[in-house]
Amino acid sequence: MKIPSNKQLMLWSQLVLLSSDITMSTLGFLVPKKSTFPSGIKALADFVHSKGLKLGIYSDAGHLTCSKKMPGSLGHEEQDAETFASWGIDYLKYDNCNNGGIKPTNRYPVMTKALMSTGRPIFFSLCEWGDMHPALWGYNVGNSWRTTNDISDTWESMVSRADQNEVYADFARPGGWNDPDMLEVGNGGMTKDEYIVHFSIWAISKAPLLIGCDVRNVSKDTMEIIANKEVIAVNQDKLGVQAKKVRMEGDWEVWAGPLSHYRVAVLLLNRGSWRTPITAHWDDIGIPPGTTVKARDLWEHKNMKTRFVGNLTAAVDSHACKMYILKPVF
């Protein structure tokens, strides 16, 4: 039985995540630290919800969280799930540390059942790091599952997480998603073009779009990326099919995936050091040969003047991409 989910994915603009300053009472119930949450978490949740946002919280499928400073939920799943529901939590990120060697397939489903029993729809994010290939079993347990180890704010880390995540594309579907970890957009370790690549791959891969930068101090460049409604719409498309690499030649790649209303999302990615032309062929991306399509450039926010038949070619800068929606012209 599938646990209830609020939406297909959690967007950064809808989610505030609590990750610390929660301890355990003598009766085994989680309690917020009064100096951090003087009015309690329920009051905080009410305030967050009044702003049109959703509230997330962090726990661990172990006896302690990864910092070893806060209690985990192993052995307290029912209590903690009821506590989260009573607080008005919408999202649970559930980590994988200090678990006594118990297999994740024996630990995570216990929290699944506990969350379902509360009657509150709480998005369940399995942070199992891809250790035991959760894409193979995660759909019956949670709403998303980490397919990789932690990401860092570098080009090499980002593209390697994208590669690892793409392997499991066939296992993503509405209600359950592959998660290559949070976005690093805006943290300063990559160029603007590299962050556009980052956001584009995560979007076309239907990955959770969880922003990891300080949203209180977002630059204009960062806001242009994370607030691109056209790219976000690809991520949120109701068909819910994760894109795949359909062609790789040297340092360039073509990613593609179907969208609703007979459209196709296409990403032309240059991983090399020089500007290069990249071609998406219809037989690679699932468009019938001879079909005429119109193209929408999602980063330029404009319709291409040319109609395309058989293929589409664009010159792409180093460590950059082009992203399009292609729609047949009937």
Side-chain angles (χ1 to χ4, degrees):
M1 184 176 180
K2 194 71 179 134
I3 72 171
S5 59
N6 297 308
K7 284 195 67 176
Q8 175 177 322
L9 295 175
M10 286 285 187
L11 292 176
W12 72 274
S13 58
Q14 298 172 306
L15 179 66
V16 176
L17 187 64
L18 305 179
S19 60
S20 62
D21 288 337
I22 296 175
T23 56
M24 185 175 288
S25 72
T26 55
L27 297 178
F29 287 93
L30 296 174
V31 292
K33 188 176 180 181
K34 286 194 175 295
S35 59
T36 305
F37 305 104
S39 300
I41 293 179
K42 179 62 169 66
L44 175 61
D46 291 343
F47 174 77
V48 168
H49 292 153
S50 75
K51 301 297 182 182
L53 305 174
K54 295 185 183 296
L55 187 69
I57 203 163
Y58 169 93
S59 189
D60 190 287
H63 298 292
L64 295 169
T65 62
C66 294
S67 69
K68 296 185 178 181
K69 296 179 180 179
M70 299 294 168
S73 293
L74 186 63
H76 296 267
E77 290 88 354
E78 291 187 9
Q79 284 176 297
D80 290 358
E82 288 291 343
T83 299
F84 299 150
S86 70
W87 285 344
I89 297 299
D90 303 295
Y91 175 105
L92 172 61
K93 178 177 179 178
Y94 205 44
D95 220 332
N96 193 37
C97 294
N98 305 305
N99 52 58
I102 304 171
K103 290 183 178 181
T105 50
N106 292 331
R107 288 179 284 113
Y108 282 87
V110 182
M111 181 56 83
T112 304
K113 182 178 179 181
L115 291 172
M116 291 178 66
S117 296
T118 69
R120 180 175 179 80
I122 298 176
F123 188 107
F124 190 23
S125 171
L126 315 181
C127 186
E128 193 267 353
W129 323 315
D131 184 41
M132 297 294 290
H133 307 291
L136 305 182
W137 49 267
Y139 185 79
N140 294 318
V141 180
N143 297 110
S144 66
W145 43 84
R146 281 278 296 280
T147 53
T148 71
N149 210 328
D150 293 350
I151 194 172
S152 59
D153 189 18
T154 68
W155 170 259
E156 291 75 17
S157 176
M158 183 271 291
V159 293
S160 69
R161 300 308 182 269
D163 292 341
Q164 294 165 29
N165 188 67
E166 192 265 349
V167 171
Y168 299 104
D170 288 336
F171 296 95
R173 69 193 97 162
W177 309 100
N178 293 315
D179 177 8
D181 205 4
M182 297 178 71
L183 292 157
E184 294 287 351
V185 180
N187 283 329
M190 289 183 260
T191 67
K192 183 179 180 180
D193 279 348
E194 290 173 339
Y195 281 140
I196 287 173
V197 170
H198 186 7
F199 198 72
S200 299
I201 294 178
W202 263 236
I204 204 170
S205 300
K206 305 301 189 293
L209 299 180
L210 296 169
I211 299 301
C213 68
D214 185 348
V215 295
R216 299 169 299 178
N217 299 289
V218 176
S219 70
K220 181 176 180 292
D221 282 349
T222 297
M223 185 57 71
E224 286 178 0
I225 297 171
I226 63 178
N228 187 324
K229 293 181 179 180
E230 295 190 74
V231 175
I232 291 171
V234 170
N235 180 262
Q236 296 285 289
D237 183 74
K238 65 181 180 181
L239 198 60
V241 177
Q242 180 173 328
K244 300 178 181 179
K245 297 181 191 181
V246 297
R247 183 177 287 266
M248 296 175 284
E249 294 190 15
D251 290 324
W252 64 259
E253 300 171 351
V254 178
W255 296 57
L259 301 175
S260 56
H261 306 298
Y262 307 103
R263 300 169 301 151
V264 177
V266 176
L267 183 70
L268 309 181
L269 171 60
N270 181 6
R271 298 170 70 150
S273 301
W274 295 274
R275 180 178 173 87
T276 187
I278 301 176
T279 300
H281 296 275
W282 280 198
D283 56 353
D284 287 333
I285 64 179
I287 296 177
T291 302
T292 300
V293 308
K294 56 184 179 180
R296 174 77 176 176
D297 188 319
L298 304 189
W299 287 106
E300 295 293 333
H301 301 291
K302 65 182 182 182
N303 296 320
M304 307 294 286
K305 294 180 180 180
T306 305
R307 294 293 191 263
F308 300 90
V309 182
N311 63 73
L312 180 154
T313 300
V316 183
D317 290 334
S318 168
H319 287 201
C321 69
K322 294 284 189 179
M323 189 171 184
Y324 305 98
I325 289 180
L326 307 184
K327 186 174 182 179
V329 178
F330 297 108

